[in-house]
Each structure stands twice: as C-alpha cells, then as structure tokens.
Amino acid sequence: MSSTKENIKLARRSFLKMATLSSLAVPMLGRSEVLREASEDELKEAYEGSKKVKSVCTACSVGCGIIAEVQNGVWVRQEIAQDHPVSVGGHCCKGADMIDMVRSHVRLKYPMKKENGEWKRITYEQALDEIGEKLAAYRKENPESVMFLGSAKLSNEQAYYIRKFGAFFGTNNVDHQARI
C-alpha cells in the first residue's frame, strides 16, 4: 500500500512541477522576442527560379492540399494549401513530414535484393519475376502464409478487387494499410 501512495505522491509532484513550468512559459511566449511576424525576406521564395505546384498529400486517403515548391524538377519545399476544400489549410504530422520522406537518403528508389549479406540493385523485371515465383510457390505450399495489404488511397472498388484477388489466391489474410 505504501508503494502506491509513493507513486501517487510522485505523480502529483511531477504534475505540479510541469504545471508550474508551463504557467511560467506561456507568458514568455507572448513576449515580442519569442513570437514575431515573419519578415519579408523570410516570406519570399527560398529557392530562386522555383515554381509552386498545387498537389495532394499521399500519406492517406484524405487527400489534404499541399503546395509543393519545385526547382529543376526537385521538390525543395512545401506549404499547406490554405484554399484546399478538404483540408482547409490543415495538415497532420505525416503530411507535414512528406517532403522529408521524399528527400530522405534512405528512401528506396529502385528494386534491391540482399545477396551474401549485401544489398544490390536489380531490375524491375527481375524483381517482378522473383516475386511472382515466390508467390506461386507459397500458393502451392500454403496460401494462408501470404497476406495482402490495401492502400489508404484505394477506392471501394479497388479494395474489392484486392479482396477478390486474395480470395482467388486462397487466403482470407487481407487488411488495410491505414489500420496497421
């Protein structure tokens, strides 16, 4: 019983410490040195010669609006589309981070295969052939060992086709990416 009281006392104490810190921090944010209007230099184009392209975020099926700034065919910066009818100027954390995912140095850009502990680049034809052969072997041996995942960008009709494909393949293991 005493350990429970100590935990409650510690949790209460931690809460009070955080409440005190936040009550001191909030007035500080109102000070002009902390929050200020952006200058004209900060608001103008960061990349000379770039163009802004209205697009849609592909993280999920909501389709929030983004304005991608593109320079020489490369996505260099993004803004939220304030006038977009779906997102009305909003973004989730995944959408706000899309540019980082696209520009990541660890992003997979072509088919890879691990051979002798090393990753090597292969052609799309080789990748599709090998995947097809493996799927055929799994289907023959045990179709329940395979799972099909849908995409958050699919329509109801496309999701239906994936479900049907799974059934014809011989498995009920079908799920949706957004749920995982």
Side-chain angles (χ1 to χ4, degrees), residues 59-125:
C60 74
S61 62
V62 173
C64 295
I66 61 170
I67 299 173
E69 191 170 335
V70 179
Q71 182 183 42
N72 298 327
V74 177
W75 185 6
V76 292
R77 188 170 75 164
Q78 80 179 36
E79 298 174 14
I80 299 168
Q82 299 292 337
D83 61 344
H84 194 270
V86 173
S87 56
V88 194
H91 254 329
C92 71
C93 59
K94 289 188 283 186
D97 194 44
M98 285 302 284
I99 191 168
D100 292 332
M101 183 186 73
V102 168
R103 297 173 69 185
S104 173
H105 70 282
V106 296
R107 177 179 167 220
L108 187 62
K109 298 175 186 160
Y110 36 79
M112 302 285 286
K113 182 179 180 180
K114 198 171 197 177
E115 289 183 352
N116 302 321
E118 295 288 322
W119 288 102
K120 75 170 209 171
R121 185 176 178 171
I122 61 174
T123 66
Y124 281 95
E125 292 78 17

Side-chain angles (χ1 to χ4, degrees), residues 129-146:
D129 287 344
E130 290 184 22
I131 291 168
E133 289 169 11
K134 288 255 188 197
L135 279 173
Y138 288 136
R139 183 176 185 199
K140 186 176 181 180
E141 184 181 320
N142 179 11
E144 287 292 317
S145 64
V146 175

